[in-house]
Amino acid sequence: MDSLKPACGSAVLSDPPNPPNPDSPILPIHTHLVAMNEVLNQTAAWWFSATSHIVPSALLTLPDPNVAVMKKCRVFPVEFVCRGFMTGSTDTSLWTHYKAGARQYCGNSFPDGMRKNDRLVANVITPTTKAEDHDVPISPKEIVEQGLMTQEEWDTVSAAALRIFQFGQEEAARRGLLLVDTKYEFGKDADGTIRIIDEVHTPDSSRYWLADTYAARHAAGLEPENIDKEFLRLWFRQRCDPYKDAVLPEAPAELVCELSKRYVYLYERITGQPFQVPDLATPVNERIVANLRKAGLC
């Protein structure tokens, strides 16, 4: 079907290399949706634990595969977008601004002559803040001037974000992956401790490429092979403006299943643990409520 083809030459891994469960049964679409929620929650939990030596997280417990209980924090109204490559397709992406002529972006400087998907000389942060319906690029200077964070908070959190990103890149590289870019959110708890919140390095927030084919494909002018949701983002951008249109087209079931497959594959490749396909014999909501009660949370 033409509608399922990737946009602009994006390399879609319809069959990821060495799938962990090649004999898995074909699952109904509802199971794929539940699986995506569970795998995102469990991927984030794995990374929260793995990065706890850098900064504590707000995660307290996982009473159910779909549920994370977090410590209440005052959230900084800034997203810390960390980038290691000149790439992206959204309005706030580094490549979008660079190809339009920008050489200064969010307080960072970039040289002339860069190509899409080039590796940056050093990792950078291109922070954004929330407007009513979209993210807005902002510089560290503006963040402090607008009172979104103090200078001390910015210095502490930005340093932690870059350390987490570098650590994530190193861990990904050991597994044959390139962690291309990601975003983090942080907050302060009642004791004044800065914590990372929301999630870490899941395919919902992070771009991953296959390391062993990146150099050859980039030299040939081809898009990197990826294990993330970029193919779905491009599908929507071909058909609508996801940030402005009130009604979005419904993604085909085949693409939803492909996304679920990638999320599970990435979880297993990163953690080294098999993902347990959700058993839907008990409705998900009933299972969640039962597990919350068992944990004394409701």
Side-chain angles (χ1 to χ4, degrees), residues 58-232:
L59 180 64
L60 295 174
T61 185
L62 294 181
D64 181 89
N66 276 80
V67 178
V69 178
M70 297 283 198
K71 192 175 184 70
K72 187 174 182 178
C73 292
R74 176 179 64 83
V75 179
F76 296 119
V78 174
E79 290 191 345
F80 289 74
V81 183
C82 292
R83 303 182 186 276
F85 291 78
M86 175 65 70
T87 195
S89 61
T90 66
D91 292 343
T92 59
S93 78
L94 181 53
W95 173 245
T96 298
H97 287 261
Y98 185 88
K99 72 177 180 179
R103 297 296 179 267
Q104 299 284 327
Y105 186 53
C106 296
N108 302 288
S109 299
F110 302 95
D112 290 330
M114 295 195 73
R115 297 187 301 140
K116 187 183 181 189
N117 302 328
D118 277 352
R119 189 189 292 268
L120 302 178
V121 174
N123 293 331
V124 300
I125 298 178
T126 58
T128 62
T129 189
K130 293 287 187 184
E132 185 174 342
D133 58 353
H134 63 286
D135 295 339
V136 178
I138 190 170
S139 71
K141 183 173 182 290
E142 292 169 327
I143 288 171
V144 175
E145 288 177 346
Q146 294 178 24
L148 302 180
M149 301 178 75
T150 66
Q151 185 66 56
E152 182 181 6
E153 288 170 340
W154 166 262
D155 292 342
T156 298
V157 176
S158 61
L162 286 172
R163 286 183 62 198
I164 294 169
F165 187 51
Q166 181 179 347
F167 177 81
Q169 288 180 314
E170 292 167 354
E171 291 298 306
R174 292 189 182 98
R175 295 155 175 82
L177 300 171
L178 297 173
L179 176 57
V180 177
D181 50 42
T182 192
K183 66 94 178 169
Y184 308 115
E185 295 184 53
F186 294 84
K188 252 185 187 179
D189 67 19
D191 297 326
T193 300
I194 291 176
R195 297 178 180 275
I196 190 166
I197 63 171
D198 192 31
E199 53 109 314
V200 180
H201 297 164
T202 75
D204 234 26
S205 66
S206 309
R207 197 186 316 265
Y208 287 90
W209 295 339
L210 295 187
D212 59 354
T213 60
Y214 163 72
R217 292 184 66 88
H218 187 46
L222 300 173
E223 287 293 308
E225 292 182 291
N226 61 77
I227 314 177
D228 50 48
K229 65 179 184 181
E230 179 69 6
F231 76 99
L232 190 59

Side-chain angles (χ1 to χ4, degrees), residues 38 41 62-68 284 287-289 291-292:
E38 291 191 9
N41 200 36
L62 294 181
D64 181 89
N66 276 80
V67 178
V284 176
R287 186 200 71 202
I288 289 174
V289 170
N291 284 333
L292 290 176

Side-chain angles (χ1 to χ4, degrees), residues 1-24:
M1 295 173 59
D2 290 341
S3 62
L4 300 183
K5 290 181 180 178
C8 305
S10 174
V12 173
L13 296 180
S14 58
D15 292 295
N18 303 316
N21 297 308
D23 298 323
S24 294

